Amino acid sequence: MEDAPPLPWPELPAVPSLFEPSLLPRVFAIPPGADYAAVFAEGLIRRLEGTPPEAMLGVTVLVNAARTLTGLEEAIAERQGGAGFLPHLLPIETAASGPALGGPAPGAVVPELHRTLALTRLVERFLEAVPGRAPRAAAPDLAASLADLLDLMDEEGVAAAALAAAVPEEMATHWQEALAFLDIARTAWPALREAEHGGAADPQPARRDAALTLVAAWERKPPQGPLLVAGSTGSRAVTAVLMAAIARQPQGALVLPAFDPQIDPAIWGAAGPDHPMGPFRRLFDLLEMVPAGVLPWLPETPPPRLRARRRLLAEALRPAPVTDAWVAARETLAETAEAATADLGLIEAPNQRAEAAAVALAVREGLTKPGQSIAVVTRDATLARRIAAELDRFGILPDDSLGRPLTLTQAGGLVLGTLAVARAAAAADPVALAALMAHPRVTLGLPRAEHRRRARRYEQLALRQRGVTGRPGPFPDWPDGVEAIAEDTAWLAAAREALAPLKLLSAPAPLDRLIAAHRASLAALTARAAGEVPPADGPDDLALAALFDRLADAAPAHGGMMAAAEYAALLEGQMRAETLRPQAARPHPRVALWGTIEARSGAADLTILAGLNEGSWPGTADTGPWLNRPMRAALGLPSPEREIGLAAHDFQHAACRPAVILSRARTVEGTPQVAARWLVRLETLLNGTAPAALTAMKGRGQRYLDLVPALDRGVTDPALTQPAPRPRPTPPVALRPRRLSVTAIETLIRDPYALYARRVLGLKKLTPLGAPLDARDRGEALHETMRRFVEATRAGLPAGAADHLASLARRVLAERQTPPDLASLWAERLVEAMDEVIEIEAGLRAAGTPGPLEVEGRMTLTLPAGPVTLTARADRLDRRGTAGAFVIDYKTGQPPSAKQIGEYNHQLHLQALILAAGGFKGLPPLRAEGGAYVGLTAGKQSGVEAGLAEALAAYGDKLAALIGAYDDPAQGYLSRQVPKRQDEDGDYDHLARRAEWDGMVLPDAQGGEP
């Protein structure tokens, strides 16, 4: 058989030539505010004109970020009409390793997680050797900060051995101790890395070595094809070295983002690391160039407004040493300020909530312009989530590129919930338990609705009891008096069994065992009922499973022993570092939510820069916990202001877009904020040159803030936005309460609406989860103490009565399982008042005989609409002769004043009425000889309230009139009729919508007020 003829392989395209030969580094720039991806694509396609379409395949472009890569692909494809070839696009961070650029094959690198675990072990050993330095739970965070320092030193080519010279002997003891800690980086970690990973290197040295090797290879044999760098400022050491080498290649070029070659030489000379041009200084030093040598990537003729904006921002951001030029530029800036700020707005919101709402309103308005694209740019992830939530009110789902950390996903929330319970494995944490049982993934093998029903019952009856916090075991038993049915018992057993594996976290254990126990607990918590199909895993489930797998793989060799706090810190740190982009089914095609990295290569018709506060944008210049500024300088490490310079560059670039809104909040979570330094400079410059332009900017932003209240109300019709009046419900008389306690009478006088909500609507305030014992519990304990004391001393006060009372109080507090710290405090307060209490007690014994204690009583009032029962529980009724009694009411707080007794607090008088009617059990009708409120706190004892008998007839009439008024169908239950204090919050104020009407002038009452 004859050989087949060779296949006609097509010839590879010739390597295109984009540039003329040059002896100088080839550097181009795209100006601030331009659509970087679009301009780069246009310039590249123009330079390839006249070449075959496949010539694009011979071009290699190194990009600074994944977003830039995607943006360039889309922009090039759009300009080719969707049919064409793309250049070879590579991330510059990893381009030096591998065959793509002819570099060395990538060597072995220590996996990041392995290094994290190993450093954590080393930090734990250090903390054990130096007690008191930090708790073991801080080891993961300390290891993370140490890893950051190692990466920075490796990136800058600083050997770990140089750390010894960074701390002179005259440095403070704190820094000498820091150096001792850094021995982990100098000696312990290199030794451990060699022992466990052989010849593997840390990630940063591997990248640096690969870049230097590639640059050296290019010196021997330069690449001939076009090699471009897009989107990078060269602020990082390794990147700057690689970029400087590429700029000198035969067809190499840099295309810098947001760079102005015409920058004032005075600005360039004075620009520090925190200036927008600061990130370029390292690269230009390596290139031995000045900005004037940079060429435009494409010729441009910007409109006058954009040209004026660039000039205004360049002047506003001048370095401090050369701001004297503002004086000379004042007239020119005043002439162009109106044009420069015509499409610029400034939102200064009172808080972050209002800022997010105002930004959402600006987005919503922007969408009314056909075809207009809108991008919200921020560095504050919390603000970004707020803005997304506000946009959801309009049904707008933005293309969110910021994403959210794994900790804020549903799967991550479940993990954090189990960790919260595990931290308190030996004691109950009602808040953590209730939150975990309410998680939408938790079912305990039951149908979801059935599990929630049982969990709510357990929460209300067991977890919402005072003093539950700290009781033994993560799940307290059902309280006394609650009859737990079989289903409740089975549910509680299943919950305890699901969390049983987490008991392993109560003592240090191997990391792989902790992970296995944690996963077993998660599986038991989320088990589905028989026959139910489990939901498909979402991106958060998959990411979490992958994280657990990575930890489980690394744990046997690198994990070591960990306790609950260390394991939680490690896992939370790993989860925070993993960001998931929201899986929006159909994000709005014209609305995007970007971080500053995405904004570098993206563009929109309207750009909103949000969160412009110090600490957010820009962030804080942090030197880290291990090296101060002189030490960093001695090592040759970059200034911490480098990151501020990158943030300033991003701000200047985005603020030069055609239409821009700048936004900030004056307070965040109640804390006053300082405006970003760039805003302060811009306002200062405009105040001195064109204050009217600044006023107009703020007015354009204030317009959105003015709409926020109407947005919150959901209506725009002024007739519908009036606040609700103070409520005065008038339920049918048949539904109004016919049984009232003597304490409820004061409520009826002060806040009738509260009585309506409690007795007519049947709404009872729930005890807050995790509520500690409070004044009510103290009162109950001291009342019980006095009851026992009086019972035990009826025959007479013994010698040492004060000591006996104090001892009895401590015994009662112990029986009620009062926490030791509270028991000691409460007993001490009674001891402080002991002499006064015994003195009052002696006076009462001299005047009469201790009578019944904690006695129930009632009487019936006959009213036209039907009888009303008045009930009471008297603390103590002392006998005075054969037909008289003295009414005593103990107070553990401040006893009522004489004015309060006369107008609002009728407790003693009402008990005297019941006493006279023979309503107390075991007592005949008796005359009230008097009464007293006896304080059980030092300095709060009350005098005797005499004359009860003489006032009874008048009080009986007042009581009948008060209750009888509510038998009128027109009489309403007014909210907060006469509150004790205006700043006091009532249990039902939210139901009465107090925030809407408080301070309003009320219309005349209908039917009068009792």
Side-chain angles (χ1 to χ4, degrees):
M1 183 177 179
E2 297 182 3
D3 293 337
L7 294 172
W9 293 106
E11 294 184 6
L12 292 175
V15 176
S17 178
L18 299 182
F19 312 108
E20 296 293 332
S22 173
L23 296 177
L24 298 176
R26 195 177 289 105
V27 183
F28 299 93
I30 294 176
D35 184 341
Y36 184 89
V39 174
F40 180 90
E42 183 65 25
L44 179 60
I45 290 173
R46 286 190 189 183
R47 284 171 170 81
L48 286 171
E49 286 181 355
T51 64
E54 63 269 19
M56 183 71 79
L57 295 171
V59 179
T60 300
V61 182
L62 306 184
V63 298
N64 66 317
R67 174 70 187 184
T68 307
L69 190 151
T70 303
L72 292 181
E73 285 181 342
E74 293 173 352
I76 293 171
E78 181 180 349
R79 276 150 186 77
Q80 292 176 334
F85 296 98
L86 293 174
H88 193 194
L89 294 159
L90 296 170
I92 193 170
E93 185 176 291
T94 58
S97 300
L101 300 181
V109 176
V110 179
E112 189 67 35
L113 182 57
H114 289 197
R115 185 179 69 160
T116 298
L117 294 176
L119 287 174
T120 301
R121 284 164 46 205
L122 293 173
V123 170
E124 287 171 351
R125 293 175 190 170
F126 176 83
L127 295 178
E128 290 172 357
V130 187
R133 182 68 56 86
R136 277 181 61 98
D141 290 334
L142 292 174
S145 67
L146 186 58
D148 291 340
L149 177 61
L150 283 171
D151 285 342
L152 180 61
M153 294 175 61
D154 291 338
E155 177 190 323
E156 298 293 333
V158 177
L163 287 169
V167 186
E169 292 184 2
E170 64 271 15
M171 279 283 188
T173 304
H174 165 75
W175 296 112
Q176 296 290 342
E177 293 176 350
L179 180 62
F181 182 85
L182 292 177
D183 276 336
I184 296 173
R186 288 194 300 164
T187 57
W189 165 239
L192 186 62
R193 182 183 62 208
E194 182 64 28
E196 295 187 350
H197 298 280
D202 281 346
Q204 288 295 344
R207 296 189 188 108
R208 182 178 181 84
D209 292 345
L212 295 177
T213 301
L214 180 60
V215 169
W218 282 348
E219 291 178 356
R220 297 188 298 270
K221 184 179 179 182
Q224 298 304 305
L227 181 58
L228 288 73
V229 177
S232 180
T233 62
S235 62
R236 305 290 176 182
V238 176
T239 304
V241 169
L242 193 59
M243 289 175 65
I246 290 173
R248 294 187 173 98
Q249 300 310 310
Q251 286 293 304
L254 313 180
V255 185
L256 303 180
F259 187 88
D260 182 9
Q262 299 177 355
I263 184 174
D264 185 339
I267 295 179
W268 177 258
D274 59 346
H275 187 268
M277 295 297 106
F280 296 100
R281 293 304 295 262
R282 183 200 298 267
L283 175 62
F284 275 73
D285 289 344
L286 290 175
L287 293 171
E288 299 179 331
M289 285 182 64
V290 294
V294 178
L295 302 173
W297 180 244
L298 275 182
E300 69 156 0
T301 53
R305 284 187 175 185
L306 180 55
R307 194 161 54 244
R309 178 90 59 79
R310 290 177 183 172
R311 171 73 190 284
L312 174 65
L313 289 172
E315 289 294 332
L317 299 179
R318 268 182 178 268
V322 292
T323 49
D324 60 318
W326 285 358
V327 177
R330 179 175 180 177
E331 291 185 6
T332 304
L333 290 173
E335 293 173 357
T336 60
E338 183 178 353
T341 61
D343 296 310
L344 199 60
L346 176 58
I347 295 172
E348 292 184 298
N351 51 56
Q352 206 173 55
R353 159 71 179 83
E355 180 186 9
V359 168
L361 284 165
V363 172
R364 179 65 185 86
E365 181 187 61
L367 289 176
T368 62
K369 298 181 180 180
Q372 177 170 258
S373 59
I374 305 162
V376 180
V377 184
T378 183
R379 291 167 59 96
D380 187 331
T382 300
L383 177 59
R385 290 191 290 272
R386 284 183 177 271
I387 293 172
E390 293 293 336
L391 288 173
D392 188 54
R393 299 168 72 168
F394 299 111
I396 299 171
L397 188 64
D399 183 7
D400 186 356
S401 62
L402 277 83
R404 61 182 58 199
L406 188 53
T407 50
L408 294 180
T409 64
Q410 198 175 84
L414 177 59
V415 171
L416 296 181
T418 55
L419 290 175
V421 174
R423 288 193 186 100
D429 183 345
V431 176
L433 286 171
L436 180 60
M437 291 299 106
H439 193 281
R441 302 281 182 91
V442 175
T443 55
L444 295 177
L446 296 171
R448 173 67 184 165
E450 180 68 13
H451 162 74
R452 285 299 300 134
R453 184 180 66 81
R454 298 181 190 177
R456 280 195 296 268
R457 174 175 163 81
Y458 180 73
E459 175 189 320
Q460 293 179 10
L461 298 181
L463 297 183
R464 289 187 179 273
Q465 303 295 316
R466 283 183 172 82
V468 171
T469 302
R471 291 183 186 174
F475 275 95
D477 287 321
W478 294 95
D480 296 337
V482 174
E483 184 178 350
I485 60 178
E487 291 179 347
D488 295 331
T489 304
W491 177 88
L492 183 56
R496 287 172 169 168
E497 184 179 354
L499 288 181
L502 296 182
K503 292 180 180 178
L504 183 66
L505 275 67
S506 60
L511 177 58
D512 54 346
R513 290 184 58 199
L514 295 178
I515 295 169
H518 197 175
R519 297 183 90 166
S521 181
L522 291 170
L525 288 168
T526 58
R528 290 284 160 173
E532 280 194 1
V533 179
D537 288 339
D540 53 343
D541 299 286
L542 298 175
L544 188 62
L547 173 59
F548 272 124
D549 288 342
R550 293 195 301 273
L551 284 170
D553 290 342
H558 310 286
M561 303 285 286
M562 284 191 180
E566 297 166 85
Y567 172 68
L570 171 68
L571 189 54
E572 288 181 37
Q574 293 295 313
M575 290 169 65
R576 281 194 303 269
E578 188 148 352
T579 301
L580 300 181
R581 184 173 178 180
Q583 300 296 309
R586 291 184 179 178
H588 199 288
R590 293 194 283 138
V591 181
L593 193 54
W594 290 339
T596 51
I597 294 177
E598 291 78 15
R600 293 173 190 172
S601 59
D605 300 318
L606 171 62
T607 305
I608 303 174
L609 310 184
L612 289 170
N613 282 329
E614 290 289 316
S616 173
W617 189 358
T620 304
D622 186 13
T623 60
W626 312 118
L627 302 174
N628 59 20
R629 290 178 183 274
M631 292 158 62
R632 289 172 69 102
L635 288 170
L637 296 178
S639 166
E641 278 74 19
R642 176 177 68 174
E643 296 300 323
I644 293 181
L646 286 169
H649 177 260
D650 293 333
F651 170 79
Q652 184 182 33
H653 175 45
C656 284
R657 297 280 165 74
V660 177
I661 296 175
L662 309 175
S663 170
R664 65 172 292 256
R666 292 192 182 94
T667 63
V668 175
E669 301 297 334
T671 303
Q673 300 295 303
V674 177
R677 60 196 68 187
W678 313 305
L679 277 184
V680 174
R681 283 172 155 266
L682 181 60
E683 291 193 41
T684 302
L685 182 58
L686 286 174
N687 265 324
T689 57
L694 177 60
T695 300
M697 278 176 54
K698 292 184 175 181
R700 286 188 282 272
Q702 185 63 38
R703 189 168 62 86
Y704 298 112
L705 289 171
D706 291 342
L707 292 172
V708 170
L711 174 66
D712 288 340
R713 288 191 291 267
V715 293
T716 56
D717 184 352
L720 300 177
T721 58
Q722 297 302 314
R726 182 185 297 194
R728 187 193 296 271
T730 56
V733 173
L735 298 180
R736 302 187 183 197
R738 311 305 294 177
R739 179 187 177 95
L740 296 170
S741 67
V742 295
T743 54
I745 298 300
E746 182 175 0
T747 304
L748 186 61
I749 296 172
R750 290 190 176 277
D751 190 1
Y753 185 88
L755 188 69
Y756 159 79
R758 178 71 182 92
R759 300 293 303 279
V760 177
L761 299 183
L763 301 176
K764 182 181 178 182
K765 181 183 177 182
L766 292 175
T767 303
L769 280 168
L773 299 180
D774 57 13
R776 173 180 165 182
D777 302 278
R778 174 173 173 264
E780 291 175 353
L782 295 188
H783 273 71
E784 173 66 12
T785 298
M786 292 304 300
R787 187 189 68 78
R788 293 193 191 181
F789 176 76
V790 173
E791 289 284 7
T793 61
R794 284 187 179 277
L797 292 176
D803 293 337
H804 176 65
L805 182 57
S807 175
L808 186 59
R810 293 188 178 94
R811 190 182 316 141
V812 170
L813 289 169
E815 291 173 0
R816 298 173 71 91
Q817 297 183 338
T818 308
D821 54 342
L822 277 182
S824 176
L825 175 64
W826 292 350
E828 184 62 29
R829 286 184 179 178
L830 182 60
V831 168
E832 291 174 358
M834 200 67 66
D835 292 340
E836 296 175 69
V837 172
I838 295 300
E839 182 180 350
I840 292 174
E841 185 66 27
L844 292 173
R845 300 293 179 95
T849 304
L853 306 172
E854 303 290 341
V855 59
E856 302 284 349
R858 69 175 62 192
M859 66 176 290
T860 300
L861 297 176
T862 302
L863 298 176
V868 174
T869 301
L870 182 69
T871 65
R873 183 183 180 90
D875 288 344
R876 178 173 168 184
L877 296 172
D878 278 10
R879 295 298 298 267
R880 296 285 176 91
T882 58
F886 193 84
V887 184
I888 299 169
D889 192 81
Y890 293 117
K891 295 293 182 185
T892 52
Q894 179 68 48
S897 66
K899 181 178 180 180
Q900 290 172 334
I901 292 172
E903 296 187 17
Y904 310 116
N905 192 301
H906 306 321
Q907 215 168 324
L908 290 181
H909 297 83
L910 298 180
Q911 289 183 25
L913 282 173
I914 299 174
L915 184 67
F920 282 106
K921 290 182 179 180
L923 291 176
L926 296 173
R927 171 187 171 87
E929 301 293 345
Y933 294 101
V934 176
L936 301 180
T937 303
K940 293 184 178 180
Q941 279 66 34
S942 173
V944 172
E945 175 66 26
L948 291 184
E950 294 77 5
L952 284 189
Y955 269 89
D957 293 340
K958 290 172 66 175
L959 177 64
L962 173 66
I963 299 177
Y966 286 90
D967 285 344
D968 181 355
Q971 175 63 51
Y973 290 82
L974 182 66
S975 176
R976 294 178 63 83
Q977 186 163 258
V978 279
K980 288 182 180 179
R981 300 190 314 271
Q982 289 300 326
D983 60 348
E984 182 183 47
D985 292 327
D987 291 343
Y988 301 97
D989 284 356
H990 61 297
L991 185 66
R993 299 167 68 175
R994 174 188 171 190
E996 293 188 35
W997 53 259
D998 200 4
M1000 294 174 51
V1001 177
L1002 292 176
D1004 291 338
Q1006 296 295 321
E1009 295 184 11

